[in-house]
């Protein structure tokens, strides 16, 4: 019922942008045109549904005084008023109190042993360091040259062997 009287096809060769499809006679109804543009489509379907109910009651000749139509029109106005009212504001929700207990430590003896096995050794750390303004020595392995970094200067106070502690049994 909402598309009754709608333009089905525009004139050939002209733009279809201004052509409002699916807008029939009910689109021009006062109750639809008085609603804001973003809710007009919903208002049109509401009016179309209620008009269908009024049409059925007219065909059945149940209310000859038009009381059904007036009641349905009032229902449409109430529904549109409910649709147009802004949604209720939600109260701000407080965040939950954080747990103050100590965090659970994960790992243990085996995890520390795995970390120590993977960790970078002191020799590798010294090899990655470079002294400022001093040419570094290189060792040639096969056809690749690898820089020696601070290892070429020998042990110093900063490069003293600290010894890596391994916790637990060594297998």
């Amino acid at each position: 019922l909402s598309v009754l009287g709608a333009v089905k096809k525009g004139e050939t060769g002209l733009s279809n942008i201004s052509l409002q499809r699916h807008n029939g006679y009910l689109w021009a109804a006062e109750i639809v045109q008085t609603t804001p543009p973003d809710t007009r489509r919903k208002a049109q379907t509401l009016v179309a549904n209620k008009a269908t109910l009024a049409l059925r009651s007219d065909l059945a000749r149940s209310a000859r005084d038009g009381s059904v139509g007036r009641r349905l029109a009032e229902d449409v106005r109430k529904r549109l008023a409910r649709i147009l009212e802004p949604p209720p504001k939600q109260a701000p929700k407080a965040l939950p109190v954080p747990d103050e207990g100590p965090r659970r430590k994960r790992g243990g003896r085996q995890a520390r042993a795995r970390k120590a096995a993977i960790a970078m050794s002191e020799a590798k750390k010294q090899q990655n360091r470079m002294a400022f303004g001093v040419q570094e020595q290189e060792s040639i392995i096969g056809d690749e040259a690898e820089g020696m970094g601070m290892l070429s200067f020998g042990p110093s106070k900063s490069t003293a062997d600290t010894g890596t502690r391994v916790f637990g049994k060594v297998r």
Side-chain angles (χ1 to χ4, degrees):
L1 192 64
S2 62
V3 295
L4 188 66
V7 177
K8 292 190 181 0
K9 200 170 190 182
E11 294 183 30
T12 56
L14 298 176
S15 175
N16 290 335
I17 292 174
S18 64
L19 189 69
Q20 291 183 337
R21 296 182 186 277
H22 308 297
N23 297 342
Y25 297 124
L26 290 181
W27 186 260
E30 177 193 349
I31 197 164
V32 175
Q33 290 299 315
T34 55
T35 58
D38 56 332
T39 56
R40 280 189 189 154
R41 178 74 61 199
K42 194 171 233 177
Q44 181 187 10
T45 56
L46 258 171
V47 170
N49 293 341
K50 297 299 181 180
T52 305
L53 291 175
L55 181 78
R56 287 180 182 163
S57 75
D58 282 351
L59 285 175
R61 298 180 187 272
S62 61
R64 292 186 174 211
D65 59 346
S67 60
V68 175
R70 281 191 290 278
R71 183 174 50 84
L72 292 174
E74 189 59 35
D75 286 349
V76 168
R77 286 190 191 92
K78 284 181 183 176
R79 286 276 302 273
L80 286 175
R82 200 170 5 158
I83 288 170
L84 292 176
E85 70 184 26
K89 287 199 169 192
Q90 294 180 348
K93 192 174 180 182
L95 293 172
V97 177
D99 295 333
E100 294 294 325
R103 299 259 175 183
R104 185 174 158 237
K105 302 287 188 268
R106 304 193 70 150
R109 194 180 315 166
Q110 293 176 350
R112 285 194 297 269
R114 280 194 302 269
K115 278 186 183 178
I118 296 172
M120 188 181 286
S121 66
E122 279 296 318
K124 201 70 169 161
K125 286 181 186 176
Q126 293 301 319
Q127 187 178 2
N128 287 338
R129 288 191 180 142
M130 289 186 64
F132 182 73
V134 180
Q135 186 174 0
E136 114 181 284
Q137 292 180 354
E138 293 182 340
S139 63
I140 300 172
I141 303 168
D143 55 340
E144 290 185 17
E146 194 171 320
M148 296 301 289
M150 296 291 279
L151 280 178
S152 59
F153 297 111
S156 66
K157 287 182 184 176
S158 64
T159 62
D161 185 25
T162 56
T164 306
R165 282 179 38 190
V166 177
F167 299 94
K169 296 178 183 175
V170 179
R171 293 181 188 177

